[in-house]
Each structure stands twice: as structure tokens, then as C-alpha cells.
Amino acid sequence: MAESAGVELSDEVAALLAEDVCYRLREATQNSSQFLKHTRRRRLTVEDFNRALRWSNVEAVCGCGSQDSLPFRPLRDSDLFFPEDREVNLLELALATNIPKGCA
């Protein structure tokens, strides 16, 4: 992201920044798992993660929530799984009136 903004980062700075990002992601994941435990569910949702981000005064992730689980298919003769792609009608999606609230 820094390079796309025209900022040159040294390897030291990039390593420190990556370490900080990993720490903050672990912290948000830990907080979201606490919300999961408090609601006595077994599946972590985007709403749990968004609550954890709001709790840390970070802008929430928009547009990533889904009630459906992804069906994974195994790759032939290996232990690799991948989600099946489904067709999405972009016209209907673009004209949908249910815009998430709180998005930047």
C-alpha cells in the first residue's frame, strides 16, 4: 500500500510494520473469540469480528457477512480444498438498495 501511495519503505520498516499488523490481527481475533464465547456459539461470524474492531476503536469491515457457509471441494488426489465459485449477477448486486450502514 505504501508503494502504491508513492512512499518507499526500507526492509526494516516493512518488517516492523508487518509485525505490528500481525499483533493487531491476533488481538482482534482474540477479542472476537471472546464475543463468540459470550454468545455461546461455535462458529465465528463477521459480526463478532466487527464488534471486536469497534471495541478497539477501529473501523468495521463492511460487506463481508454471509449466513451461508462456503462449500469446499477437495482437489483430486491431494489434501487441498477450495471453495466452489458461484455465479453472481453484478447488475442485481449493483442496483440493490440494501447498502450497509456505517461504511466509509
Side-chain angles (χ1 to χ4, degrees):
M1 287 181 64
E3 288 177 357
S4 67
V7 177
E8 224 21 73
L9 293 179
S10 68
D11 290 340
E12 270 184 42
V13 172
L16 289 172
L17 188 60
E19 185 179 330
D20 186 53
V21 167
C22 286
Y23 170 77
R24 298 203 186 272
L25 279 174
R26 272 190 242 118
E27 182 182 36
T29 305
Q30 179 68 32
N31 290 340
S32 62
S33 69
Q34 287 178 357
F35 284 112
L36 172 73
K37 289 176 186 175
H38 287 293
T39 56
R40 295 185 178 142
R41 285 182 285 110
R42 296 183 65 192
R43 181 174 289 178
L44 186 70
T45 63
V46 174
E47 287 77 25
D48 295 326
F49 202 80
N50 281 340
R51 281 189 201 110
L53 290 176
R54 274 188 244 116
W55 196 50
S56 300
N57 293 328
V58 177
E59 188 175 325
V61 179
C62 294
C64 295
S66 175
Q67 301 300 327
D68 303 331
S69 60
L70 288 175
F72 283 94
R73 290 185 39 203
L75 196 61
R76 193 175 349 161
D77 299 330
S78 92
D79 292 334
L80 183 65
F81 291 84
F82 63 96
E84 288 190 79
D85 290 335
R86 61 185 177 132
E87 291 187 19
V88 176
N89 187 347
L90 293 177
L91 183 61
E92 286 180 14
L93 186 64
L95 297 176
T97 58
N98 55 351
I99 299 171
K101 294 183 180 174
C103 291

